[in-house]
Amino acid sequence: MCQNGKSFVEITNEKVFDSLPLGIIITDQEGTIALCNKVAEELIGFKKELIEGSPLQDVIPDVTLGNGSFTRIRVRENKSFDESKIISAEVNPISDESEILGYSVVFNRHFLQTEAMPRLRSKDLDRDSDFEIDDGAFKNIIGSSKRLLSALKVAAKAAKTSSTVLLQGESGTGKELVAEAIHCASKRCDGPFIKVNCPGIPADLMESELFGHEKGAFTGAIYQKIGKFELANGGTIFLDEIGELDKNLQSKLLRVLQEREFERVGGNRVLKTDVRIIAATHRNLQEMVSFGDFREDLYYRLNVVPIVLPSLRERKEDIPLLVEHFLRKLCIKLGVKSKSITKRAVESLYNYDWPGNVRELENIIERAINLAETDVIDISDLPQGITNRTSETKRPLINLEPDGELASYDDYEKAIIKVALNKYKSFNAAGKALGITHKTVAAKARRYGIIE
């Protein structure tokens, strides 16, 4: 016998168990912790003598027993409900041929992240810069990929000035979130943040919406209306999808940018405004300028601080972070029990192309929460388009075989419009390639649900 009455084999097994680079917990059939190694002890922050004998749920509330991979779960530290760590874990049954004897929980120390840790830290940025991102203002922007942090670094710097900002990026990349973060991190944070969805307002009402109107200015103007620029005085106005603004209003907006003044519709009094403009677009404004669809002088006035937000395809390493964020947020919103997600489901999300970006990912997670029959979301809970599970080999749209079936004309038109927009990235360029006007491309894209 050796020390403490233990045999050489027992001591050797313990040493090997503790030397493993992964945290390991072993439970019995009921989920009571029987063994844990040194890495598990370090992650939890409590002596193993007190971990062993505790119910697994007391230490890892998010884990359910059975087969499952949990990419980001919460581990209570020092058994405190106020402090916790986020790690990845795999749970597997330990069984002989006839029954389950217990369970193993394996997690990786390198997946550690403290819950209280700011999402964005100066050390995540370029090493040659000591500029820090305002954690409070940018707290709702989830991600740590290099391309996202590079864009947010520019946004944080822009927040310290009063210059006009132009946010560029595909629909669903979070342009509104970044605009609001810039406002909240600026000296104007106590002033209003006014949002204007340019394509959502009819062209004949847009001038009144932006600048207001006087009573009797036009049929139906039975009272004086205060416009968005007056409401935003002392704060920030966010002009979303600025590329949809017609040429007449582009010239009026240019006056506001140059002179900081405007007139209400039907009025003759010049009103001054102290407002910061943040504009956003998913379109290529420089290309629109070359086609004569956007004023060149306005483009240069807007493009003082350009910020390009990456698509989700360009920052896929942020998908696990976003999934964890949306799971927590949406479970609270929907009033349902917290859910986790398997590793293979996350991998399936990672491999998807995400044409709708972060907004599409959030919608997919909400759908999965509603449809999942257990507390663990798996591949079967994701849409077929995400998992590429098809019941038959996909046929080409056009079947030129003599006995082949044809699709409807609308199906062909929808497909070619979608291909053209994906390839050329703008209504103008797609229209020129197809031999139709950019307005026709835009109308058909909306008709078929290709764009919102």
Side-chain angles (χ1 to χ4, degrees), residues 192 194 196 207-214 224-237 256 261-265 269-275:
I194 303 298
V196 181
E207 184 176 0
S208 172
E209 191 70 22
L210 291 177
F211 308 119
H213 64 249
E214 300 291 355
Q224 184 189 69
K225 176 183 173 66
I226 303 300
K228 300 296 188 185
F229 272 93
E230 278 186 83
L231 293 174
N233 192 47
T236 304
I237 189 167
V256 178
E261 61 183 32
F262 64 93
E263 297 172 9
R264 296 193 191 107
V265 177
R269 184 163 63 97
V270 175
L271 301 174
K272 292 288 184 179
T273 183
D274 172 26
V275 63

mmCIF file of all heavy atoms in Angstrom, residues 192 194 196 207-214 224-237 256 261-265 269-275:
data_model
loop_
_atom_site.group_PDB
_atom_site.id
_atom_site.type_symbol
_atom_site.label_atom_id
_atom_site.label_comp_id
_atom_site.label_asym_id
_atom_site.label_seq_id
_atom_site.Cartn_x
_atom_site.Cartn_y
_atom_site.Cartn_z
ATOM 1 N N PRO A 192 -31.739 63.665 -28.570
ATOM 2 C CA PRO A 192 -32.570 62.636 -29.218
ATOM 3 C C PRO A 192 -31.809 61.854 -30.282
ATOM 4 O O PRO A 192 -30.861 62.356 -30.888
ATOM 5 C CB PRO A 192 -33.709 63.439 -29.845
ATOM 6 C CG PRO A 192 -33.148 64.819 -30.030
ATOM 7 C CD PRO A 192 -32.173 65.035 -28.911
ATOM 8 N N ILE A 194 -33.074 60.124 -33.597
ATOM 9 C CA ILE A 194 -34.260 60.024 -34.448
ATOM 10 C C ILE A 194 -33.946 59.163 -35.664
ATOM 11 O O ILE A 194 -32.990 59.428 -36.400
ATOM 12 C CB ILE A 194 -34.731 61.426 -34.904
ATOM 13 C CG1 ILE A 194 -35.018 62.314 -33.691
ATOM 14 C CG2 ILE A 194 -35.967 61.303 -35.795
ATOM 15 C CD1 ILE A 194 -36.134 61.813 -32.795
ATOM 16 N N VAL A 196 -35.060 57.461 -39.347
ATOM 17 C CA VAL A 196 -35.908 57.645 -40.531
ATOM 18 C C VAL A 196 -35.629 56.493 -41.494
ATOM 19 O O VAL A 196 -34.495 56.334 -41.969
ATOM 20 C CB VAL A 196 -35.625 58.990 -41.230
ATOM 21 C CG1 VAL A 196 -36.543 59.138 -42.449
ATOM 22 C CG2 VAL A 196 -35.802 60.154 -40.284
ATOM 23 N N GLU A 207 -40.602 64.760 -47.815
ATOM 24 C CA GLU A 207 -40.151 66.113 -47.481
ATOM 25 C C GLU A 207 -40.819 66.600 -46.203
ATOM 26 O O GLU A 207 -40.171 67.175 -45.323
ATOM 27 C CB GLU A 207 -40.431 67.075 -48.636
ATOM 28 C CG GLU A 207 -39.886 68.474 -48.366
ATOM 29 C CD GLU A 207 -40.072 69.427 -49.549
ATOM 30 O OE1 GLU A 207 -40.617 69.001 -50.585
ATOM 31 O OE2 GLU A 207 -39.662 70.594 -49.419
ATOM 32 N N SER A 208 -42.126 66.370 -46.096
ATOM 33 C CA SER A 208 -42.850 66.753 -44.882
ATOM 34 C C SER A 208 -42.346 65.978 -43.675
ATOM 35 O O SER A 208 -42.241 66.515 -42.565
ATOM 36 C CB SER A 208 -44.353 66.509 -45.073
ATOM 37 O OG SER A 208 -45.048 66.686 -43.858
ATOM 38 N N GLU A 209 -42.013 64.695 -43.883
ATOM 39 C CA GLU A 209 -41.526 63.858 -42.790
ATOM 40 C C GLU A 209 -40.179 64.383 -42.276
ATOM 41 O O GLU A 209 -39.950 64.411 -41.062
ATOM 42 C CB GLU A 209 -41.376 62.420 -43.279
ATOM 43 C CG GLU A 209 -41.125 61.404 -42.183
ATOM 44 C CD GLU A 209 -42.334 61.160 -41.291
ATOM 45 O OE1 GLU A 209 -43.458 61.440 -41.728
ATOM 46 O OE2 GLU A 209 -42.123 60.698 -40.161
ATOM 47 N N LEU A 210 -39.315 64.780 -43.191
ATOM 48 C CA LEU A 210 -37.992 65.248 -42.792
ATOM 49 C C LEU A 210 -38.003 66.667 -42.236
ATOM 50 O O LEU A 210 -37.357 66.951 -41.221
ATOM 51 C CB LEU A 210 -37.029 65.182 -43.985
ATOM 52 C CG LEU A 210 -36.621 63.795 -44.486
ATOM 53 C CD1 LEU A 210 -35.724 63.926 -45.709
ATOM 54 C CD2 LEU A 210 -35.922 63.000 -43.402
ATOM 55 N N PHE A 211 -38.733 67.570 -42.915
ATOM 56 C CA PHE A 211 -38.631 68.993 -42.581
ATOM 57 C C PHE A 211 -39.896 69.586 -41.972
ATOM 58 O O PHE A 211 -39.886 70.744 -41.538
ATOM 59 C CB PHE A 211 -38.245 69.787 -43.839
ATOM 60 C CG PHE A 211 -37.024 69.237 -44.521
ATOM 61 C CD1 PHE A 211 -37.083 68.755 -45.822
ATOM 62 C CD2 PHE A 211 -35.810 69.181 -43.853
ATOM 63 C CE1 PHE A 211 -35.957 68.238 -46.440
ATOM 64 C CE2 PHE A 211 -34.679 68.666 -44.474
ATOM 65 C CZ PHE A 211 -34.751 68.191 -45.767
ATOM 66 N N GLY A 212 -40.975 68.799 -41.934
ATOM 67 C CA GLY A 212 -42.231 69.300 -41.383
ATOM 68 C C GLY A 212 -43.024 70.117 -42.391
ATOM 69 O O GLY A 212 -42.559 70.373 -43.513
ATOM 70 N N HIS A 213 -44.220 70.540 -42.004
ATOM 71 C CA HIS A 213 -45.015 71.395 -42.888
ATOM 72 C C HIS A 213 -45.869 72.355 -42.058
ATOM 73 O O HIS A 213 -46.138 72.119 -40.880
ATOM 74 C CB HIS A 213 -45.898 70.571 -43.834
ATOM 75 C CG HIS A 213 -46.948 69.743 -43.143
ATOM 76 N ND1 HIS A 213 -46.893 68.375 -43.098
ATOM 77 C CD2 HIS A 213 -48.093 70.090 -42.473
ATOM 78 C CE1 HIS A 213 -47.937 67.912 -42.431
ATOM 79 N NE2 HIS A 213 -48.687 68.933 -42.036
ATOM 80 N N GLU A 214 -46.275 73.427 -42.710
ATOM 81 C CA GLU A 214 -47.154 74.405 -42.071
ATOM 82 C C GLU A 214 -48.609 74.027 -42.319
ATOM 83 O O GLU A 214 -48.925 73.310 -43.272
ATOM 84 C CB GLU A 214 -46.878 75.805 -42.634
ATOM 85 C CG GLU A 214 -45.466 76.311 -42.426
ATOM 86 C CD GLU A 214 -45.150 76.620 -40.971
ATOM 87 O OE1 GLU A 214 -46.064 76.523 -40.114
ATOM 88 O OE2 GLU A 214 -43.982 76.938 -40.672
ATOM 89 N N GLN A 224 -49.959 72.122 -38.119
ATOM 90 C CA GLN A 224 -48.519 72.232 -38.339
ATOM 91 C C GLN A 224 -47.829 70.943 -37.902
ATOM 92 O O GLN A 224 -48.169 70.378 -36.871
ATOM 93 C CB GLN A 224 -47.956 73.408 -37.534
ATOM 94 C CG GLN A 224 -46.474 73.665 -37.768
ATOM 95 C CD GLN A 224 -45.911 74.686 -36.793
ATOM 96 O OE1 GLN A 224 -45.794 74.397 -35.605
ATOM 97 N NE2 GLN A 224 -45.591 75.874 -37.299
ATOM 98 N N LYS A 225 -46.881 70.480 -38.684
ATOM 99 C CA LYS A 225 -46.150 69.252 -38.360
ATOM 100 C C LYS A 225 -44.676 69.571 -38.145
ATOM 101 O O LYS A 225 -44.065 70.279 -38.935
ATOM 102 C CB LYS A 225 -46.282 68.229 -39.492
ATOM 103 C CG LYS A 225 -45.473 66.940 -39.287
ATOM 104 C CD LYS A 225 -45.601 66.023 -40.486
ATOM 105 C CE LYS A 225 -44.680 64.822 -40.383
ATOM 106 N NZ LYS A 225 -45.046 63.919 -39.284
ATOM 107 N N ILE A 226 -44.125 69.054 -37.065
ATOM 108 C CA ILE A 226 -42.697 69.193 -36.792
ATOM 109 C C ILE A 226 -41.975 68.034 -37.459
ATOM 110 O O ILE A 226 -42.322 66.871 -37.269
ATOM 111 C CB ILE A 226 -42.414 69.183 -35.276
ATOM 112 C CG1 ILE A 226 -43.196 70.290 -34.589
ATOM 113 C CG2 ILE A 226 -40.919 69.326 -35.008
ATOM 114 C CD1 ILE A 226 -42.865 71.679 -35.068
ATOM 115 N N GLY A 227 -40.961 68.341 -38.256
ATOM 116 C CA GLY A 227 -40.233 67.310 -38.994
ATOM 117 C C GLY A 227 -39.145 66.643 -38.164
ATOM 118 O O GLY A 227 -38.827 67.059 -37.040
ATOM 119 N N LYS A 228 -38.573 65.606 -38.737
ATOM 120 C CA LYS A 228 -37.559 64.824 -38.034
ATOM 121 C C LYS A 228 -36.312 65.646 -37.707
ATOM 122 O O LYS A 228 -35.680 65.434 -36.667
ATOM 123 C CB LYS A 228 -37.164 63.606 -38.874
ATOM 124 C CG LYS A 228 -38.303 62.644 -39.195
ATOM 125 C CD LYS A 228 -38.862 62.000 -37.947
ATOM 126 C CE LYS A 228 -39.861 60.892 -38.319
ATOM 127 N NZ LYS A 228 -40.514 60.317 -37.122
ATOM 128 N N PHE A 229 -35.944 66.574 -38.606
ATOM 129 C CA PHE A 229 -34.747 67.367 -38.339
ATOM 130 C C PHE A 229 -34.951 68.313 -37.157
ATOM 131 O O PHE A 229 -34.011 68.577 -36.401
ATOM 132 C CB PHE A 229 -34.319 68.139 -39.587
ATOM 133 C CG PHE A 229 -33.408 67.359 -40.481
ATOM 134 C CD1 PHE A 229 -33.909 66.610 -41.533
ATOM 135 C CD2 PHE A 229 -32.040 67.342 -40.252
ATOM 136 C CE1 PHE A 229 -33.064 65.874 -42.345
ATOM 137 C CE2 PHE A 229 -31.187 66.597 -41.061
ATOM 138 C CZ PHE A 229 -31.702 65.854 -42.117
ATOM 139 N N GLU A 230 -36.164 68.823 -36.981
ATOM 140 C CA GLU A 230 -36.439 69.634 -35.789
ATOM 141 C C GLU A 230 -36.429 68.778 -34.532
ATOM 142 O O GLU A 230 -35.906 69.176 -33.488
ATOM 143 C CB GLU A 230 -37.796 70.334 -35.930
ATOM 144 C CG GLU A 230 -37.754 71.607 -36.736
ATOM 145 C CD GLU A 230 -39.084 72.333 -36.714
ATOM 146 O OE1 GLU A 230 -39.346 73.076 -35.747
ATOM 147 O OE2 GLU A 230 -39.866 72.144 -37.679
ATOM 148 N N LEU A 231 -37.022 67.580 -34.634
ATOM 149 C CA LEU A 231 -37.073 66.689 -33.478
ATOM 150 C C LEU A 231 -35.674 66.252 -33.050
ATOM 151 O O LEU A 231 -35.420 66.000 -31.870
ATOM 152 C CB LEU A 231 -37.923 65.457 -33.802
ATOM 153 C CG LEU A 231 -39.412 65.692 -34.026
ATOM 154 C CD1 LEU A 231 -40.091 64.406 -34.487
ATOM 155 C CD2 LEU A 231 -40.081 66.210 -32.755
ATOM 156 N N ALA A 232 -34.760 66.159 -34.028
ATOM 157 C CA ALA A 232 -33.410 65.669 -33.746
ATOM 158 C C ALA A 232 -32.465 66.779 -33.300
ATOM 159 O O ALA A 232 -31.293 66.514 -33.032
ATOM 160 C CB ALA A 232 -32.839 64.980 -34.983
ATOM 161 N N ASN A 233 -32.951 68.001 -33.203
ATOM 162 C CA ASN A 233 -32.081 69.123 -32.851
ATOM 163 C C ASN A 233 -31.332 68.855 -31.544
ATOM 164 O O ASN A 233 -31.923 68.478 -30.536
ATOM 165 C CB ASN A 233 -32.900 70.405 -32.722
ATOM 166 C CG ASN A 233 -32.023 71.643 -32.651
ATOM 167 O OD1 ASN A 233 -31.100 71.805 -33.446
ATOM 168 N ND2 ASN A 233 -32.286 72.502 -31.685
ATOM 169 N N GLY A 234 -30.014 69.008 -31.581
ATOM 170 C CA GLY A 234 -29.194 68.733 -30.410
ATOM 171 C C GLY A 234 -28.769 67.284 -30.288
ATOM 172 O O GLY A 234 -28.034 66.927 -29.371
ATOM 173 N N GLY A 235 -29.262 66.452 -31.211
ATOM 174 C CA GLY A 235 -28.940 65.030 -31.159
ATOM 175 C C GLY A 235 -28.463 64.501 -32.496
ATOM 176 O O GLY A 235 -27.709 65.151 -33.217
ATOM 177 N N THR A 236 -28.965 63.317 -32.838
ATOM 178 C CA THR A 236 -28.518 62.620 -34.056
ATOM 179 C C THR A 236 -29.725 62.171 -34.860
ATOM 180 O O THR A 236 -30.714 61.701 -34.293
ATOM 181 C CB THR A 236 -27.672 61.385 -33.687
ATOM 182 O OG1 THR A 236 -26.583 61.778 -32.866
ATOM 183 C CG2 THR A 236 -27.156 60.680 -34.932
ATOM 184 N N ILE A 237 -29.635 62.300 -36.174
ATOM 185 C CA ILE A 237 -30.673 61.744 -37.052
ATOM 186 C C ILE A 237 -30.038 60.621 -37.874
ATOM 187 O O ILE A 237 -28.935 60.767 -38.413
ATOM 188 C CB ILE A 237 -31.301 62.821 -37.967
ATOM 189 C CG1 ILE A 237 -32.516 62.250 -38.703
ATOM 190 C CG2 ILE A 237 -30.290 63.402 -38.944
ATOM 191 C CD1 ILE A 237 -33.376 63.311 -39.378
ATOM 192 N N VAL A 256 -29.115 71.122 -45.933
ATOM 193 C CA VAL A 256 -29.030 70.939 -44.486
ATOM 194 C C VAL A 256 -27.590 70.632 -44.072
ATOM 195 O O VAL A 256 -27.079 71.152 -43.074
ATOM 196 C CB VAL A 256 -29.968 69.805 -44.018
ATOM 197 C CG1 VAL A 256 -29.831 69.582 -42.511
ATOM 198 C CG2 VAL A 256 -31.409 70.139 -44.352
ATOM 199 N N GLU A 261 -29.531 74.456 -42.216
ATOM 200 C CA GLU A 261 -30.806 75.156 -42.184
ATOM 201 C C GLU A 261 -31.770 74.516 -43.177
ATOM 202 O O GLU A 261 -31.366 73.819 -44.115
ATOM 203 C CB GLU A 261 -30.622 76.637 -42.512
ATOM 204 C CG GLU A 261 -30.059 76.911 -43.890
ATOM 205 C CD GLU A 261 -29.819 78.383 -44.163
ATOM 206 O OE1 GLU A 261 -29.491 79.107 -43.203
ATOM 207 O OE2 GLU A 261 -29.973 78.807 -45.318
ATOM 208 N N PHE A 262 -33.080 74.765 -42.978
ATOM 209 C CA PHE A 262 -34.118 74.218 -43.850
ATOM 210 C C PHE A 262 -35.391 75.019 -43.627
ATOM 211 O O PHE A 262 -35.467 75.889 -42.733
ATOM 212 C CB PHE A 262 -34.359 72.741 -43.533
ATOM 213 C CG PHE A 262 -34.885 72.493 -42.147
ATOM 214 C CD1 PHE A 262 -36.248 72.412 -41.899
ATOM 215 C CD2 PHE A 262 -34.008 72.350 -41.077
ATOM 216 C CE1 PHE A 262 -36.733 72.199 -40.617
ATOM 217 C CE2 PHE A 262 -34.473 72.135 -39.793
ATOM 218 C CZ PHE A 262 -35.832 72.065 -39.558
ATOM 219 N N GLU A 263 -36.405 74.751 -44.438
ATOM 220 C CA GLU A 263 -37.717 75.371 -44.288
ATOM 221 C C GLU A 263 -38.770 74.286 -44.267
ATOM 222 O O GLU A 263 -38.642 73.261 -44.949
ATOM 223 C CB GLU A 263 -37.997 76.331 -45.450
ATOM 224 C CG GLU A 263 -37.044 77.506 -45.518
ATOM 225 C CD GLU A 263 -37.226 78.315 -46.789
ATOM 226 O OE1 GLU A 263 -38.216 78.059 -47.533
ATOM 227 O OE2 GLU A 263 -36.382 79.181 -47.065
ATOM 228 N N ARG A 264 -39.815 74.493 -43.487
ATOM 229 C CA ARG A 264 -40.939 73.558 -43.516
ATOM 230 C C ARG A 264 -41.661 73.689 -44.855
ATOM 231 O O ARG A 264 -41.644 74.739 -45.491
ATOM 232 C CB ARG A 264 -41.925 73.849 -42.385
ATOM 233 C CG ARG A 264 -41.370 73.648 -40.988
ATOM 234 C CD ARG A 264 -42.511 73.647 -39.971
ATOM 235 N NE ARG A 264 -41.991 73.717 -38.608
ATOM 236 C CZ ARG A 264 -42.063 74.785 -37.830
ATOM 237 N NH1 ARG A 264 -42.683 75.879 -38.278
ATOM 238 N NH2 ARG A 264 -41.575 74.774 -36.618
ATOM 239 N N VAL A 265 -42.316 72.610 -45.282
ATOM 240 C CA VAL A 265 -43.119 72.655 -46.500
ATOM 241 C C VAL A 265 -44.234 73.679 -46.305
ATOM 242 O O VAL A 265 -44.960 73.646 -45.304
ATOM 243 C CB VAL A 265 -43.729 71.278 -46.819
ATOM 244 C CG1 VAL A 265 -44.624 71.356 -48.052
ATOM 245 C CG2 VAL A 265 -42.624 70.241 -47.019
ATOM 246 N N ARG A 269 -40.044 80.587 -43.352
ATOM 247 C CA ARG A 269 -39.115 80.910 -42.275
ATOM 248 C C ARG A 269 -37.976 79.890 -42.271
ATOM 249 O O ARG A 269 -38.214 78.686 -42.265
ATOM 250 C CB ARG A 269 -39.853 80.899 -40.932
ATOM 251 C CG ARG A 269 -38.968 81.316 -39.754
ATOM 252 C CD ARG A 269 -39.839 81.689 -38.566
ATOM 253 N NE ARG A 269 -40.616 80.556 -38.103
ATOM 254 C CZ ARG A 269 -40.253 79.771 -37.081
ATOM 255 N NH1 ARG A 269 -39.113 80.013 -36.446
ATOM 256 N NH2 ARG A 269 -41.019 78.781 -36.699
ATOM 257 N N VAL A 270 -36.756 80.412 -42.298
ATOM 258 C CA VAL A 270 -35.582 79.534 -42.285
ATOM 259 C C VAL A 270 -35.320 79.078 -40.852
ATOM 260 O O VAL A 270 -35.214 79.890 -39.934
ATOM 261 C CB VAL A 270 -34.345 80.260 -42.848
ATOM 262 C CG1 VAL A 270 -33.107 79.376 -42.713
ATOM 263 C CG2 VAL A 270 -34.569 80.648 -44.303
ATOM 264 N N LEU A 271 -35.232 77.753 -40.685
ATOM 265 C CA LEU A 271 -34.997 77.167 -39.364
ATOM 266 C C LEU A 271 -33.589 76.610 -39.303
ATOM 267 O O LEU A 271 -33.128 75.931 -40.221
ATOM 268 C CB LEU A 271 -36.003 76.045 -39.092
ATOM 269 C CG LEU A 271 -37.478 76.434 -39.138
ATOM 270 C CD1 LEU A 271 -38.356 75.195 -39.005
ATOM 271 C CD2 LEU A 271 -37.801 77.422 -38.046
ATOM 272 N N LYS A 272 -32.892 76.921 -38.238
ATOM 273 C CA LYS A 272 -31.542 76.401 -38.024
ATOM 274 C C LYS A 272 -31.628 75.064 -37.280
ATOM 275 O O LYS A 272 -32.544 74.837 -36.483
ATOM 276 C CB LYS A 272 -30.710 77.388 -37.210
ATOM 277 C CG LYS A 272 -30.394 78.688 -37.941
ATOM 278 C CD LYS A 272 -29.372 78.445 -39.049
ATOM 279 C CE LYS A 272 -28.962 79.744 -39.718
ATOM 280 N NZ LYS A 272 -27.938 79.531 -40.780
ATOM 281 N N THR A 273 -30.670 74.203 -37.521
ATOM 282 C CA THR A 273 -30.656 72.921 -36.821
ATOM 283 C C THR A 273 -29.238 72.541 -36.423
ATOM 284 O O THR A 273 -28.284 72.789 -37.162
ATOM 285 C CB THR A 273 -31.255 71.799 -37.699
ATOM 286 O OG1 THR A 273 -31.285 70.586 -36.955
ATOM 287 C CG2 THR A 273 -30.447 71.575 -38.956
ATOM 288 N N ASP A 274 -29.115 72.001 -35.244
ATOM 289 C CA ASP A 274 -27.835 71.468 -34.769
ATOM 290 C C ASP A 274 -28.005 69.959 -34.639
ATOM 291 O O ASP A 274 -28.441 69.452 -33.607
ATOM 292 C CB ASP A 274 -27.475 72.088 -33.414
ATOM 293 C CG ASP A 274 -26.256 71.427 -32.781
ATOM 294 O OD1 ASP A 274 -25.430 70.874 -33.536
ATOM 295 O OD2 ASP A 274 -26.152 71.432 -31.539
ATOM 296 N N VAL A 275 -27.700 69.250 -35.694
ATOM 297 C CA VAL A 275 -27.968 67.819 -35.726
ATOM 298 C C VAL A 275 -26.808 67.101 -36.406
ATOM 299 O O VAL A 275 -26.209 67.624 -37.345
ATOM 300 C CB VAL A 275 -29.297 67.523 -36.460
ATOM 301 C CG1 VAL A 275 -29.240 67.957 -37.904
ATOM 302 C CG2 VAL A 275 -29.673 66.056 -36.358
#
